[in-house]
């Protein structure tokens, strides 16, 4: 137990030291009474006709009505209404994009079988090269059918978009309260953290456009999906409504 506590203390001190060496360049504290559309875009509907089911056979429809900004939190409400699952998906594409740095989010996840909240990033060149060539960074992914587990993953052309470069971490209290999810990203590696503890490092030996698309700017995406290939096609309708609550996002460089 003493050894475990020492490791936590050392990891936390190291993380704080790294963070202090960087400057805060952007933060979103959701302190207004509505979403700041100078920072955020809404993505609406079921993905059709371009990517029906948002590429994963997901069941939800994204709307502008499934969120509130209250008491310094963004609250995304996931519900079932008139036989439709509804949720919210927002991005910072074209508004707030970053290359390298410490990106962190403090959030409380929704739970239940079929729920799939995520905080992630996509390469800003996606409209030119497509996915997965643009690269994807999944800072937080949770699927309700697998309690106490967190997915931290990257998608590249080399992996054909499949979840190959990934780590599944058991976080026993992940469903309880707020947790801090982060990456530390530089030209050599991307390191993932949960509550200031390192859980996964991605640093391919050979870096080219197919293995390392992470030498360009990326933008943030916040959403909660329902069902789908990853979220699971078995959905517990009794869980609704659920809430994905985001306290803040910070970027240090």
């Amino acid at each position: 137990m003493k050894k475990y506590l020492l490791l936590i203390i050392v990891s936390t001190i190291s993380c704080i030291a790294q963070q202090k060496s960087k400057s805060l360049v952007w933060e979103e504290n959701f302190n207004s009474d509505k979403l700041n559309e100078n920072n955020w875009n809404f993505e609406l509907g079921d993905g059709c006709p371009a990517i029906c089911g948002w590429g994963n056979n997901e069941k939800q429809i994204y709307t502008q009505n499934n969120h509130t900004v209250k008491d310094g939190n963004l609250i995304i409400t996931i519900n079932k209404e008139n036989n439709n699952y509804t949720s919210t998906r927002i991005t910072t594409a074209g508004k707030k994009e970053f290359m390298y740095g410490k990106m962190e989010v403090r959030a409380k996840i929704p739970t239940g079988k079929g729920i799939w909240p995520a905080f992630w990033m996509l390469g800003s060149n996606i409209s030119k090269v497509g996915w997965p060539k643009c690269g994807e960074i999944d800072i937080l992914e949770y699927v309700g059918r697998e309690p106490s587990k967190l997915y931290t993953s990257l998608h590249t052309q080399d992996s054909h978009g499949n979840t190959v470069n990934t780590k599944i971490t058991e976080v026993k209290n992940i469903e309880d309260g707020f947790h801090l999810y982060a990456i530390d990203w530089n030209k050599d590696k991307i390191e993932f953290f949960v509550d200031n503890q390192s859980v996964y490092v991605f640093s391919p030996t050979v870096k080219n456009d197919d293995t390392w698309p992470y030498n360009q700017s990326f933008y943030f995406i916040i959403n909660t999906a329902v069902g789908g290939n990853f979220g699971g096609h078995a959905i517990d309708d009794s869980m609704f409504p659920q809430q994905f609550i985001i306290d803040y996002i910070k970027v240090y460089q």
Side-chain angles (χ1 to χ4, degrees), residues 12-245:
T12 301
I13 292 173
S14 176
C15 183
I16 293 172
Q18 290 179 23
Q19 185 166 295
K20 285 184 176 179
S21 69
K22 299 180 174 67
S23 298
L24 181 66
V25 297
W26 182 66
E27 61 181 325
E28 173 62 274
N29 289 305
F30 303 107
N31 285 331
S32 181
D33 58 355
K34 62 179 182 179
L35 202 63
N36 183 354
E37 294 190 42
N38 290 323
N39 295 336
W40 298 99
N41 314 290
F42 287 96
E43 293 191 331
L44 304 175
D46 60 4
C48 290
I51 46 172
C52 290
W54 298 98
N56 298 287
N57 294 310
E58 298 161 24
K59 304 301 183 184
Q60 79 287 341
I61 296 171
Y62 290 122
T63 81
Q64 285 186 284
N65 304 317
N66 282 68
H67 78 284
T68 56
V69 180
K70 184 179 179 181
D71 299 329
N73 292 317
L74 168 65
I75 304 169
I76 294 176
T77 299
I78 310 95
N79 214 341
K80 187 174 184 181
E81 308 170 71
N82 301 320
N83 294 319
N84 290 318
Y85 300 103
T86 57
S87 183
T88 290
R89 173 168 162 148
I90 55 175
T91 87
T92 62
K95 296 179 178 178
K96 297 294 178 181
E97 300 179 348
F98 304 94
M99 182 175 73
Y100 306 149
K102 179 76 176 289
M103 290 81 174
E104 64 181 25
V105 60
R106 183 174 184 266
K108 183 179 187 298
I109 60 172
T111 61
K113 196 172 183 179
I115 208 78
W116 175 11
F119 178 80
W120 49 301
M121 304 181 79
L122 282 175
S124 59
N125 66 345
I126 187 170
S127 62
K128 296 179 181 179
V129 304
W131 183 92
K133 188 80 171 180
C134 65
E136 177 178 325
I137 307 171
D138 298 327
I139 301 172
L140 156 63
E141 276 192 305
Y142 170 87
V143 287
R145 61 187 169 85
E146 297 185 30
S148 303
K149 292 181 180 179
L150 171 74
Y151 284 79
T152 47
S153 308
L154 299 114
H155 298 278
T156 65
Q157 185 66 41
D158 183 60
S159 65
H160 305 287
N162 295 320
T163 309
V164 174
N165 309 307
T166 188
K167 174 69 180 298
I168 303 172
T169 302
E170 183 175 357
V171 184
K172 291 184 178 180
N173 62 340
I174 194 171
E175 290 89 1
D176 300 328
F178 286 85
H179 294 271
L180 192 64
Y181 307 91
I183 58 168
D184 195 356
W185 166 28
N186 59 39
K187 64 181 181 63
D188 298 313
K189 68 178 183 179
I190 299 175
E191 186 169 7
F192 293 78
F193 296 84
V194 181
D195 293 331
N196 293 321
Q197 295 185 57
S198 177
V199 296
Y200 178 51
V201 178
F202 178 69
S203 181
T205 302
V206 176
K207 291 183 171 66
N208 54 43
D209 290 345
D210 290 342
T211 63
W212 185 258
Y214 306 110
N215 56 356
Q216 59 160 327
S217 60
F218 275 60
Y219 61 86
F220 293 113
I221 304 173
I222 303 174
N223 72 291
T224 300
V226 178
N229 301 340
F230 188 58
H233 296 289
I235 302 169
D236 178 9
D237 287 345
S238 69
M239 69 179 171
F240 297 108
Q242 285 288 317
Q243 291 184 331
F244 187 19
I245 306 175

